Amino acid sequence: MAADAILSIRDLRVVFDTEDGPLEAVKGIDLDVEAGETLALVGESGSGKSQTMMAVMGLLAGNGRASGSARYRGEELLGLSPSALNRFRGAKITMIFQEPMTSLDPLYTVGRQIAEVVRRHRRVSGRAAHTRAVELLTLVGIPEPERRVDSYPHELSGGQRQRVMIAMALANDPDLLIADEPTTALDVTVQAQILELLRDLQQRLGMAILLITHDLGIVRRFAGRVAVMRRGEIVETGSAEAVFTRPSHAYTRMLIDSEPHGTKTPPPSTAPAVLEARNVSVDFALRSRGFFARGAGTMRAVHGASLRLKAGETIGIVGESGSGKSTLGRAILRLLPSEGTVRLDGRDISALGRSGMRPLRRQLQLVFQDPYGSLSPRLTVSAIVTEGLLVHEPGLTSAERHRRAGEALTEVGLDPAARNRYPHEFSGGQRQRIAIARAVAIRPKVLVLDEPTSALDRSIQVQIVELLRRLQAEHGLSYVFISHDLAVVRALSDYILVMKSGRVVEEGPTAEIFEAPREDYTRTLIAAAFLTTLGTAAEARPQASGDTPER
Amino acid sequence: MPTLFAVVTISFFLIRFAPGGPFSLERPLPPQIMENMIRAYRLDLPLWRQYLDYLWNVAHGDFGPSYIYRDFSVGQLMMQSLPYSLQLGTYALILAVLGGVAAGVVAALRQNGIVDYLVMSVATVGVTVPNFVVGPVLSLVFAVLLSWLPAGGWGDGSARFLLLPTIALALPQLAVFARLTRGSMIEALRADHIRTARAYGLSRRAVVVTHAMRGALLPIVSYLAPCAAALLTGSVVIEEIFGIPGVGRYFVQGALNRDYTLVMGTVVLIAVFIVVLNLVVDILYAQLDPRIRHD
């Protein structure tokens, strides 16, 4: 097996010197990548999967040290000087990253950056390198490559930037492409395209791909072999089929089972409407040029959307980024100026001002996507959770407030004893629980959840989904659940609105949307989220499966 | 233009609110002469009228006569002294930018090393010690004790005469540039695209110079305009200490003597410099950063 391995890792250890002493991120792993194969290195955040490859590439942070062995075609890479390593980096072994928005230098055209990499590893003229850049952009499916070669990164979309990164990675015909979470930061529909592109390029060019990801859906569709990493160790290795059908390690089983499942029981049809929005439109003023140029125009972010949320019901709003789903969520909470009417318990609240809304705010709460940014780092958990009570129930004594905060924390599954700690002492999933506790502590009727699970690991997502379902059942809460992740939406929602470019293009009960989507767009979204989870790589691409054995 | 107008207006009225006038001397002038002087310089007109006249004249390039140096117009005084300040300021600017950026880059690349601490200590001293201390100390050591260089004066304008004032003038700005550069360079080296450049085997030189430094220069370029304006229009302290016949001296003397037109002239000059330099910096910025070109 090791004979035709192009990359052979033995007993690799990565240690970071931290203020709290040495921290072992990778604990002696063995891994072989064979020529032309697709190997997925899977694990949740903090499992050491990225650091493993950073160590191989000599890209560890200043306080990181790697030991052990990593051989590329027999040549030891660990311990090489940067200049010796540069013979391989960018030529034989290349890498694409999770952040397509920031991985390219904003100050140079994409053509220049590709050409720079070409000329670094080959003796060619500037003109030839430029031609090669255009050729590569064509290869990765950038429209109008002759023109786009002179674009700056900020002029391209996220998906296009990731294509440019792939072009750069392919510039010198590498043997191994390391893709570190290449689609995580991209929209669902774009994710599918990028993966499709990678697979297609691999078949044409024959390089090996090492895919680092937390997303088992991608692994199942894409990888031939899988290595599962947990806490710096590889706990299981095997063919994708074997790992998915007969996982041998409990952790792997847990990862596979951690796709959100089950559906929600809809509330009785007689349930009263809590929140009703009719014909809501939101306009954003475009920034005008110069001091005197007024009225540069507006951009309509939401076009006449309507929804009716019953007590105990969950409405899912799905769509790509920029589709207006978050804007609609904020508009129905009256956090943004909008047209149309919004009724809370039958009362028209669309004309109420800031002070008129204040007493109603307690019934309408919002939970954000980013559990790191949405909690004040300088307040204790207790202060965060009781802050709303101070505003909405000023009559409570301090003891009662703290009892309520303790209750709310217990309800979201946190130890109330932790309430004097600060947000940074908690993990992402725990912080999201704190944010939910803050919202439910004041006993709202409607909770708008804006991508509350998107920043979390799959196994944590499942816990949050279960928590939300339980809270809803116990308190008769109504949710507006905004997400691009249809797997989570299906597990939570009774009714779904599909948004595209500010319009609701399709809506209906959850089962109907998933079983018989009418719009192509909806089908694309579903395919992007579920195709991946419905079968192994071979099943997902019948026409490709015949090609593989020939090699 | 609106900026210039505001500067002229505000300083015109501010200086008039200061007690005393151009002709209040220790030994008061006889009332008759005083009256004639005031009439001759049209200071008897209502203030708004004087203001409008002044605007009109300035718009036509006439800064009026100096009230104290009576044989010269403000324009003439400026033309005489500005070349000295410009020359000295240019040298100081070049020294401050080159020295500061170089020191900052080196410090950033050796972050938390000995060189870093050394550079930052010197820079802190440079920022905190005022130039009315640095100037005389330099003068004392190199001119008086060692007798290597002249203690002051413009002389023939050669390096011998200009070296000390240039260093004294540049030092605080050099320190600011060093600190700014170090900070933004460390920031730039942490950027994701630097990791990309390293992952693609680019040489250390290409990573540092082409990718990190160009990004790190942006905040430095922003600071360039106020710094250049301060250096080029003459430093009051340095010019006094080293006896340089530059603009800075007139600014102080004008203010002390309530020489309204002279003060106004220097204020307008500095304002023009700042406005023009800011424009230059904006253009430079757009050249450096494609993201702001089209917005």
Side-chain angles (χ1 to χ4, degrees), chain A residues 266-274 308-313 478:
Chain A
S269 53
T270 53
V274 190
R308 186 165 182 275
L309 183 66
K310 288 184 281 193
E313 188 183 34
S478 304

Side-chain angles (χ1 to χ4, degrees), chain A residues 54 57-59 86 89-90 95 97 99 102-108 112 116 120-121 152 154-155 168-169, chain B residues 191-193 195-196 198-204 206 209-212 214-215 218 288-291 293-295:
Chain A
M54 287 294 181
M57 294 288 275
L59 294 175
N86 283 347
R89 297 196 285 198
M95 196 160 183
F97 303 95
E99 309 84 3
T102 52
S103 293
L104 293 165
D105 192 330
L107 303 182
Y108 296 97
R112 215 210 106 149
E116 189 180 18
R120 172 70 185 159
H121 297 286
Y152 288 94
H154 72 275
E155 296 167 329
M168 201 189 266
Chain B
D192 286 338
H193 67 260
R195 182 188 57 191
T196 307
R198 290 173 57 208
Y200 280 83
L202 300 189
S203 66
R204 185 169 167 77
V209 179
T210 342
H211 293 283
R214 184 156 164 199
L218 295 172
L288 278 174
D289 190 348
R291 283 167 297 184
R293 258 176 239 167
H294 309 291
D295 301 352

